[in-house]
């Protein structure tokens, strides 16, 4: 049980099952036993409702390289049925927050790994989820990026958003 507004760390060595657990929580794979509930919603029985409440950040970002960063965020917003008028200002504000606004209209194939990781954070936060599920959030980020992500997590937690993070790093 993880409380609202809590940042919960899930630590273990490589191969311990952290990523598998994250994928189960995000509704990407079914558990072989047991049940997972997101705010009382069974992730297997009602995956769409559970996914509306969550933002998932995988350990390796999956981005369509032939879209610009802003186009990618519009695509993600469409998946969550956000109105176009809502997507644009939120996307731009998030890109500003994560310091990739100057790359908004550049193809993501030109983004560095760290920039792609920041874009994935923007995508995960776009629909204003109540729970963020993050698998190895600081892999490939420079020290400034790490600081930025940790600050964003603290801000979200102070607003009642629950953050579930897996890592193999004690830091």
């Amino acid at each position: 049980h993880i409380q609202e507004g809590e940042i919960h760390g899930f630590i273990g060595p490589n191969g311990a099952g952290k990523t598998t657990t994250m994928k189960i929580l995000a509704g990407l794979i079914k558990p072989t036993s047991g049940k997972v509930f997101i705010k009382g919603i069974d992730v297997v029985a009602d995956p769409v409702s559970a996914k509306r409440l969550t933002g998932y950040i995988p350990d390796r970002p999956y981005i369509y390289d032939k879209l610009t960063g802003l186009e990618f965020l519009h695509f993600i917003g469409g998946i969550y049925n956000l109105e176009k008028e809502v997507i644009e200002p939120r996307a731009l504000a998030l890109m500003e927050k994560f310091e990739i606004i100057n790359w908004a209209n550049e193809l993501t194939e030109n983004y560095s790994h760290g920039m792609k990781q920041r874009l994935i954070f923007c995508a995960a936060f776009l629909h204003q989820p109540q729970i963020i599920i993050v698998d190895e959030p600081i892999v490939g980020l420079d020290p400034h990026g790490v600081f930025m992500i940790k600050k964003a997590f603290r801000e979200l937690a102070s607003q009642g958003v629950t953050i579930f993070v897996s890592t193999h790093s004690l830091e």
Side-chain angles (χ1 to χ4, degrees), residues 70 73-74 77-78 80-94 125-128:
L70 190 55
L73 293 178
H74 273 277
Y80 286 100
N81 293 320
L82 298 177
E83 297 293 325
K84 233 179 184 180
E85 308 78 52
V86 172
I87 296 170
E88 186 91 8
R90 279 189 197 169
L92 292 172
L94 286 164
F125 296 173
L126 187 64
H127 67 289
Q128 299 177 326

Side-chain angles (χ1 to χ4, degrees), residues 5 7-8 33 74 77 92 118 121-122 125:
I7 299 175
H8 185 84
S33 65
H74 273 277
L92 292 172
R118 291 178 191 191
F121 276 88
C122 293
F125 296 173

Side-chain angles (χ1 to χ4, degrees), residues 101 114 132 141 155 165:
I101 190 72
I132 305 288
L141 291 179
E155 287 173 2
V165 181

Side-chain angles (χ1 to χ4, degrees), residues 91-101 118 122 125 144 148 151-153 155-156 159:
L92 292 172
L94 286 164
M95 293 182 96
E96 179 77 37
K97 178 182 185 89
F98 288 102
E99 299 177 6
I100 56 172
I101 190 72
R118 291 178 191 191
C122 293
F125 296 173
H144 178 67
M148 190 183 317
K151 180 180 176 191
F153 286 167
E155 287 173 2
L156 287 167
Q159 297 166 12

Side-chain angles (χ1 to χ4, degrees), residues 20 23-25 27 29-36 42-44:
T20 300
K23 287 180 178 179
I24 290 170
L25 291 172
I29 58 176
K30 292 181 180 181
T32 53
S33 65
K35 291 190 179 263
V36 174
D42 185 321
V43 173
V44 174

Side-chain angles (χ1 to χ4, degrees), residues 36-113:
V36 174
F37 295 92
I38 302 285
K39 294 190 78 80
I41 299 169
D42 185 321
V43 173
V44 174
D46 191 0
V48 173
S49 294
K51 288 175 185 171
R52 280 192 188 110
L53 300 175
T54 60
Y56 174 59
I57 301 164
D59 59 341
R60 291 184 209 111
Y62 305 101
I63 298 173
Y64 294 104
D65 283 340
K66 297 301 179 188
L67 295 177
T68 68
L70 190 55
E71 288 171 339
F72 178 73
L73 293 178
H74 273 277
F75 171 73
I76 297 298
I79 289 172
Y80 286 100
N81 293 320
L82 298 177
E83 297 293 325
K84 233 179 184 180
E85 308 78 52
V86 172
I87 296 170
E88 186 91 8
R90 279 189 197 169
L92 292 172
L94 286 164
M95 293 182 96
E96 179 77 37
K97 178 182 185 89
F98 288 102
E99 299 177 6
I100 56 172
I101 190 72
N102 292 337
W103 291 78
N105 295 308
E106 294 289 328
L107 293 178
T108 59
E109 68 184 2
N110 298 321
Y111 283 30
S112 69
H113 175 80

